[in-house]
Amino acid sequence: MRARNKQPVRWGLVALAALWMMVIVPLSAAAAPYAAFVMDARSGEVLHARNADTRLHPASLTKMMTLYIVFEAVENGEIGLDDQVKISSHAASEPPSKLGLRAGQNIRLRYLIRAAAVKSANDAATALGEAIEGSEARFAARMNRTAKALGMKNTTFKNAHGLTESGHQSTARDMTILGRHLFFDYPEYYNLFSRITADAGVRKVYHTNRKLLSSYKGADGIKTGYTRAAGFNLTASAERGGKRIIATVYGGRSTATRNAKVAELLDLGFAEAKTHVALNKPSKPPYMGKINGDDVPGGVGKVVRLASAAAVKSSLRPVMRPVPEEPAPVLVADKADIENAILAAQEVALAEPETEPERNTAEAEEAELVPEPGSEMLTAALDVNPDVTPELRPESIVLASREVGTPRGDPEQEIVERVSTSGGRHWGITVGRYPSQYKARKVLLQIALNEMSTLDGSLRKVLKRNSGYDANFMGMTRETAELACRRLQAKKITCFMIEPTG
C-alpha cells in the first residue's frame, strides 16, 4: 500500500520541479527573435543575411545613432566637446546601465560621449540627447530624420538609450548600415568604440564588449545591446588583411553565445569577401541642423540650418591660376610677414572672376588626420604675392616651393600651410568644415594671425572630406590644444580637439 502511494508523490515532485524551473529560468534565456547581417564595409556588399529586415528591439545599439548625431552636432558647431552639460532629473533617473549622474550636476560633453560609447550608460545617452535638442522627444525626432537620410528604412526611434518602448524598433540590416556610416563619416571618433577603458569624468568606465575586443583578432568596435525583450545584441566590426567586415546579431541567448555567433559571422565575412575591392564609401547625408521644437509632435519637424561661428561669407572658388614654368623661389622671411603676404594674395584672388567646378565626392579620398612621425619638413602649397617683399629678420622660417606641374588648389591633395615644429606632438584642433579649399585656408590664416601666441608652431592642414574641407591645426600638445579651443570658443569660434589616432 505504501509502495503504491509513492508513485503519485514522485510525479508531484517532478511537476513541482518543472514549475520551479519555469520560475527560476531567467527571461533572458527565452529565445528572443534571431536576426543576422554581414557586410563588406569597403563596398557595402551583403555577405550574409537572415531575418535581416525583421523589425526587432535594438536595445543599446540605439546609442550608435545617439552618438552619430552628437558627432554631427559637434562638427557643425552646435555644441563643443568641453561644453558643460547640466543633468536633468529625467536623465539622472534612467535605469542601469548608468554612469550614476545626479540631477543638477554639470559634466563635460566629452565624458558623456565616452560613457555612452564605452559603458553604454543610459543616463549619459539621455543627457546627450537633451543637450543637443533640448528634450528627448525632439532628439528622437532628429534620430528618425537622420535614420531616413542614412537609408535605414525599417527603423523607428523613441528614445536615446534603447530601453524597451513600444514602437522603438530597428533591423539587423539598418544597424549594420549605421555602423558603416559611423566608421566612414566620423573616423576621428571611431576609436572610442574600441577603448577597453575610458575616463568618464566622474569615474573610470569599462567597455561592455571587452571580451570580444580582446579575443577576436582585428575587432575594433562597435556596440552591444541587451534587454529582456531584445536578448543579447551586437554590431561588431573587424579589420584583417585590408578587409573590413561589419556584422550584426539580434537575439543572442547570452553574452558568450552572442560573441561566439558574431565571431562566426565575422569569419564568414572574411572568407567570403574579395581580396581586392574598390572602396565605395557611403554618402554622408547633408547637415540639416536642429529641429524646430514646435513641430516635434508631427515626428520630423522643420529644420533650422546652423552656420558655423567661424564661417566666412559665402564665395565661390576662384579660378585656378596657371602654374609657372619654373618653380617659385624659396623665400626666407619672418613668420608674420609671410602671413601678411598670403592674406594679400588671397585678397587679390577674391577680386578675380569665380566659378564653381564640378565635384565628385564619391571618389574623394580622406587624408590622414595625424602626420606620420618624422614628417618635420612639409611642402607648403601657398599662393604668395610676388609683389610683397618681406624684410629679412633674425626669426625666420623657410617655405619650400611647389613642384613644377602640380596644379594649385588640387582638391585631391592635403594642403599643408605651415612648416611643422611639432616634434612628437600629435594633438590638434579643427575649426570647421567649409565648402571650398580656399575658404578653409582663409579661415586658418585669419585664426592663426589672431591667435599666434597659442597656435605658434602648429601645422595648418586642409583635409578633403566627402562633404567639404576641414580646417585643422595639427602638431600640438594636448595642453596647447585645450588652451587654443578655450580661447577660440570664448570668441564664439567653433573649435574641438582632435585626439591622436594611434
Side-chain angles (χ1 to χ4, degrees), residues 357-424:
E358 294 183 3
R359 299 177 182 175
N360 188 352
T361 57
E363 298 177 358
E365 293 291 334
E366 295 181 8
E368 291 295 326
L369 283 171
V370 180
E372 295 182 358
S375 58
E376 300 297 325
M377 298 304 294
L378 298 171
T379 300
L382 301 176
D383 294 326
V384 180
N385 189 343
D387 296 330
V388 179
T389 306
E391 297 178 4
L392 190 63
R393 297 183 183 179
E395 182 185 1
S396 63
I397 60 173
V398 176
L399 296 182
S401 63
R402 191 188 327 103
E403 292 183 7
V404 177
T406 302
R408 302 185 183 187
D410 184 351
E412 295 295 332
Q413 290 185 349
E414 176 186 272
I415 305 303
V416 181
E417 300 197 350
R418 188 165 189 173
V419 176
S420 171
T421 59
S422 60

Side-chain angles (χ1 to χ4, degrees), residues 483-497:
L483 175 61
C485 266
R486 285 199 301 269
R487 289 173 62 93
L488 293 173
Q489 288 168 355
K491 296 178 180 180
K492 307 299 181 183
I493 296 175
T494 297
C495 179
F496 62 89
M497 293 171 60

Side-chain angles (χ1 to χ4, degrees), residues 170-310:
S170 185
T171 68
R173 184 190 303 272
D174 282 359
M175 282 299 167
T176 306
I177 290 171
L178 176 56
R180 185 170 183 243
H181 272 280
L182 271 171
F183 178 80
F184 282 110
D185 294 354
Y186 296 102
E188 62 269 38
Y189 295 107
Y190 185 75
N191 69 86
L192 283 167
F193 299 104
S194 62
R195 295 186 183 182
I196 301 299
T197 64
D199 175 13
V202 295
R203 63 190 178 97
K204 185 179 182 180
V205 293
Y206 295 86
H207 204 296
T208 58
N209 195 35
R210 55 187 178 274
K211 290 184 179 179
L212 182 70
L213 290 172
S214 301
S215 63
Y216 191 86
K217 181 181 178 181
D220 55 12
I222 304 178
K223 190 73 192 71
T224 62
Y226 167 76
T227 63
R228 288 182 176 180
F232 292 82
N233 299 348
L234 174 61
T235 296
S237 179
E239 190 274 335
R240 288 182 183 176
K243 299 179 181 179
R244 175 165 292 276
I245 304 299
I246 301 179
T248 296
V249 164
Y250 273 68
R253 291 174 176 269
S254 67
T255 299
T257 58
R258 177 199 64 194
N259 289 354
K261 188 62 180 178
V262 168
E264 177 185 329
L265 291 172
L266 290 172
D267 286 344
L268 179 153
F270 284 118
E272 294 291 329
K274 300 178 179 67
T275 302
H276 301 290
V277 173
L279 183 62
N280 181 25
K281 297 180 183 179
S283 298
K284 186 176 181 180
Y287 172 64
M288 294 183 287
K290 284 180 175 288
I291 294 176
N292 187 323
D294 297 335
D295 297 279
V296 171
V300 178
K302 294 181 180 179
V303 172
V304 180
R305 295 186 180 275
L306 300 181
S308 170

Side-chain angles (χ1 to χ4, degrees), residues 132-156:
I132 301 301
E133 285 290 345
S135 74
E136 188 172 44
R138 284 196 291 273
F139 190 74
R142 181 163 176 175
M143 293 171 78
N144 291 324
R145 185 192 73 201
T146 305
K148 183 177 180 180
L150 292 174
M152 300 169 65
K153 298 179 180 179
N154 294 297
T155 295
T156 304

